[in-house]
Amino acid sequence: MNITKEQIDALNAVVKVAITKEDYQDKVQAILEDYRKQANIPGFRKGHVPMGLIKKQYGKAVLVDEVNKLIQDNLNKYLTEEKLDVLGNPLPKQQDDFNWDAENLDFEFELGLAPEFEAPIKTKKAITQYKIVADKKMIDEQVDRIGKQYGKLISKTEVSKKDEVTGTFSNEAEEIDNKTTIELSNLKAKKATDALVGKKVGDVVTLKTKGLFKEDYQLSSALGLAADKSADLDTEVTFTIEEINEREPAEMNQELFDKLFGEEKISTVKELRDKIKEDTEKQFEQQSDQKLLNDITENFIENTKFELPTEFLKKWIQVTGEKPLTEEEASAEFEKSEKGLRYQLIEGKIIQENNLQVNFDELKDFAKGFIKSQMAQYGQLNPAEEELDNIAARIMSNQDEVKRLSEQLMSQKLLSLYKEKANLKEKELSYDEFIKEVYGKE
């Protein structure tokens, strides 16, 4: 067997594979001999079928199969040894008059080659790195929520604006019959607040659903409806008052601090506010990091210029999917995937040039950290190391999970690299300002 490469241009090449009969005949003969031993053909004893008949019936199929295996194994080996960075897979060139009975078999494969390019991390134009801070208003609201959450309920005889009211929403036509507790401070409609203030247990109030609450999700929860059904609901419901309570905030003392954070971890309201600020900003960091990663990705794609073997890739897309595509469909599919391919090449180059790797121990530790954060959401704050090791071992035995965690860990490594080497300018702002600037939402 002989494999040679003809370079068409910087991004395209043709690999020629020349196979002689000596390359495959022993293997083909051995398989046909085995077929002969196993063949059950009427008129012949098992194992005594003439070889000529076996060759006539199975010879061509075995030949084609063995030659294809030979090509695949040796072509992959050739690409590796020659260090050819190919895009997609080699595409066999169509040979309409191909003769499988010839002594020598010649095949040609088109290659699409990855381009050469530079991908400097430090760009001329600085990229904004947002730092989201918890402002005084946000901390005040959180302190207030803690006070209410751990406070006590005081029964009232008459509704006021600061009360919680338990009752049942009803509307027979809309099949609404749901007992719930609402806080008057969450109501958006002034008419609804006015209608409830001064009412007593047993009173029935009629309310309009449209614009009733400040947040859409509160309406679906209060009415016991699916979010899609409550979204555009514009009707009247009755609310029968069953209980009225005022929530007296908990006193900000050591007992509450110990309940929240552990014994003697904090001891003053200032330390509570500092802790809330620290924890909140840590949560915001993930959102700002994702924004930074997205912006750097877009910057790389926009400013790293290189050509792709476009025609080859379109042809490859056209013939390698679940079903063949038309030229127009393949072109459209290429346009949709081009950005992703470009960043994949850029990211690969950055990973290679900066020697970023994910090893087993790092991945295991990352998996354990992920498990701990998941368990913490369910109140398990200090899981045993042995338990973490056992769960991590199960995760690491699943190849799909390993791939997903490896990608997440590599993203973290890339983000750390960008923070260290990219041209960044920090911008500090509140969460509301961040949402408004980044997403254009008030």
Side-chain angles (χ1 to χ4, degrees):
M1 174 183 287
N2 185 38
I3 302 179
T4 57
K5 177 172 70 78
E6 178 187 343
Q7 194 76 28
I8 306 302
D9 55 39
L11 299 174
N12 294 275
V14 172
V15 168
K16 298 180 179 181
V17 181
I19 298 176
T20 65
K21 195 171 184 179
E22 289 74 21
D23 294 320
Y24 60 80
Q25 66 178 357
D26 289 347
K27 183 69 174 174
V28 170
Q29 187 66 28
I31 292 171
L32 291 176
E33 289 285 358
D34 189 54
Y35 275 27
R36 186 184 181 212
K37 292 175 187 176
Q38 304 299 325
N40 284 312
I41 297 179
F44 299 97
R45 283 185 299 143
K46 187 175 181 179
H48 291 272
V49 179
M51 181 53 80
L53 189 58
I54 294 295
K55 285 184 176 180
K56 184 177 180 182
Q57 190 163 349
Y58 302 109
K60 184 64 65 68
V62 172
L63 169 65
V64 171
D65 190 45
E66 287 307 308
V67 168
N68 282 330
K69 286 179 185 176
L70 195 63
I71 290 172
Q72 186 174 9
D73 291 344
N74 285 275
L75 186 54
N76 288 338
K77 184 180 177 184
Y78 174 82
L79 296 177
T80 302
E81 289 176 349
E82 294 294 315
K83 298 179 180 178
L84 294 176
D85 193 0
V86 300
L87 301 180
N89 294 313
L91 285 179
K93 293 187 76 171
Q94 187 68 34
Q95 293 173 276
D96 295 328
D97 56 349
F98 191 81
N99 180 15
W100 282 99
D101 296 320
E103 288 287 315
N104 298 319
L105 303 175
D106 295 315
F107 302 89
E108 292 186 354
F109 294 86
E110 296 178 65
L111 300 183
L113 304 176
E116 293 289 333
F117 60 91
E118 298 295 325
I121 295 174
K122 198 172 187 70
T123 54
K124 289 182 181 179
K125 186 179 178 182
I127 298 169
T128 301
Q129 180 181 8
Y130 292 99
K131 182 182 180 184
I132 307 172
V133 296
D135 56 16
K136 181 179 180 300
K137 176 172 175 277
M138 181 174 282
I139 297 169
D140 288 343
E141 288 173 351
Q142 185 64 13
V143 171
D144 186 51
R145 274 195 291 272
I146 291 171
K148 284 184 177 180
Q149 182 179 349
Y150 291 92
K152 63 180 180 180
L153 293 177
I154 300 172
S155 181
K156 302 279 293 295
T157 58
E158 192 174 288
V159 179
S160 70
K161 288 184 178 180
K162 58 185 179 181
D163 292 339
E164 296 179 8
V165 183
T166 299
T168 300
F169 279 107
S170 301
N171 180 307
E172 189 174 344
E174 297 292 342
E175 298 181 340
I176 297 169
D177 183 23
N178 191 57
K179 183 174 180 176
T180 188
T181 298
I182 61 173
E183 295 180 39
L184 266 70
S185 60
N186 288 332
L187 295 176
K188 182 179 181 181
K190 185 176 182 300
K191 284 185 179 180
T193 303
D194 292 343
L196 285 164
V197 170
K199 294 297 185 293
K200 299 178 180 178
V201 171
D203 287 346
V204 180
V205 181
T206 299
L207 304 170
K208 287 185 175 293
T209 59
K210 190 173 180 63
L212 180 58
F213 289 95
K214 291 176 181 176
E215 302 291 342
D216 292 341
Y217 75 88
Q218 291 172 331
L219 179 64
S220 63
S221 175
L223 301 184
L225 296 176
D228 57 344
K229 188 173 180 183
S230 66
D232 299 315
L233 188 64
D234 186 5
T235 188
E236 289 186 341
V237 290
T238 59
F239 183 68
T240 304
I241 299 173
E242 299 169 25
E243 193 178 329
I244 306 165
N245 292 295
E246 179 184 349
R247 190 172 287 273
E248 183 178 276
E251 186 180 343
M252 296 290 151
N253 56 22
Q254 193 63 51
E255 182 183 354
L256 177 61
F257 299 152
D258 290 349
K259 188 183 292 186
L260 290 170
F261 303 107
E263 196 170 339
E264 300 295 332
K265 292 291 175 66
I266 66 168
S267 55
T268 66
V269 173
K270 182 182 183 306
E271 288 176 353
L272 170 66
R273 294 177 67 87
D274 290 344
K275 179 65 174 169
I276 290 171
K277 181 178 175 66
E278 178 188 344
D279 291 348
T280 304
E281 289 178 357
K282 195 174 291 182
Q283 292 174 15
F284 288 152
E285 193 175 327
Q286 185 176 358
Q287 198 164 347
S288 59
D289 279 352
Q290 188 58 55
K291 171 62 178 167
L292 177 62
L293 198 56
N294 292 344
D295 288 346
I296 289 176
T297 299
E298 287 297 323
N299 187 277
F300 276 138
I301 293 171
E302 184 178 340
N303 295 299
T304 308
K305 305 298 183 184
F306 55 81
E307 296 296 321
L308 290 170
T310 303
E311 293 309 312
F312 169 85
L313 289 170
K314 287 179 181 179
K315 190 185 297 186
W316 179 72
I317 290 170
Q318 189 177 356
V319 300
T320 57
E322 289 184 8
K323 61 177 185 179
L325 303 178
T326 65
E327 287 187 20
E328 292 76 15
E329 289 171 334
S331 292
E333 196 63 35
F334 172 75
E335 287 176 14
K336 283 193 289 185
S337 60
E338 183 180 2
K339 266 181 124 177
L341 174 58
R342 286 183 177 278
Y343 184 65
Q344 190 178 340
L345 290 169
I346 295 166
E347 185 184 78
K349 190 171 186 68
I350 291 170
I351 289 171
Q352 182 184 17
E353 289 182 346
N354 291 276
N355 196 29
L356 298 183
Q357 298 174 357
V358 172
N359 63 47
F360 179 83
D361 289 336
E362 284 180 321
L363 193 58
K364 185 179 177 182
D365 288 341
F366 183 70
K368 287 166 69 173
F370 176 76
I371 295 161
K372 283 182 75 172
S373 67
Q374 292 289 304
M375 294 175 77
Q377 292 179 20
Y378 295 96
Q380 294 177 264
L381 301 178
N382 294 300
E385 195 66 23
E386 184 180 355
E387 184 181 8
L388 288 173
D389 283 333
N390 290 337
I391 298 173
R394 289 200 298 271
I395 290 176
M396 299 288 279
S397 68
N398 183 318
Q399 289 304 308
D400 289 338
E401 283 296 309
V402 169
K403 182 174 182 292
R404 183 177 66 83
L405 289 172
S406 296
E407 289 171 352
Q408 289 181 0
L409 181 53
M410 182 55 75
S411 285
Q412 282 193 6
K413 286 175 174 276
L414 284 165
L415 185 63
S416 298
L417 179 72
Y418 298 152
K419 284 182 177 180
E420 179 189 345
K421 294 188 175 182
N423 182 11
L424 305 178
K425 59 177 180 182
E426 186 174 88
K427 183 170 186 178
E428 194 172 287
L429 70 184
S430 71
Y431 182 73
D432 289 341
E433 291 168 337
F434 173 78
I435 294 298
K436 184 178 179 181
E437 178 164 328
V438 172
Y439 303 108
K441 295 180 181 178
E442 295 290 343

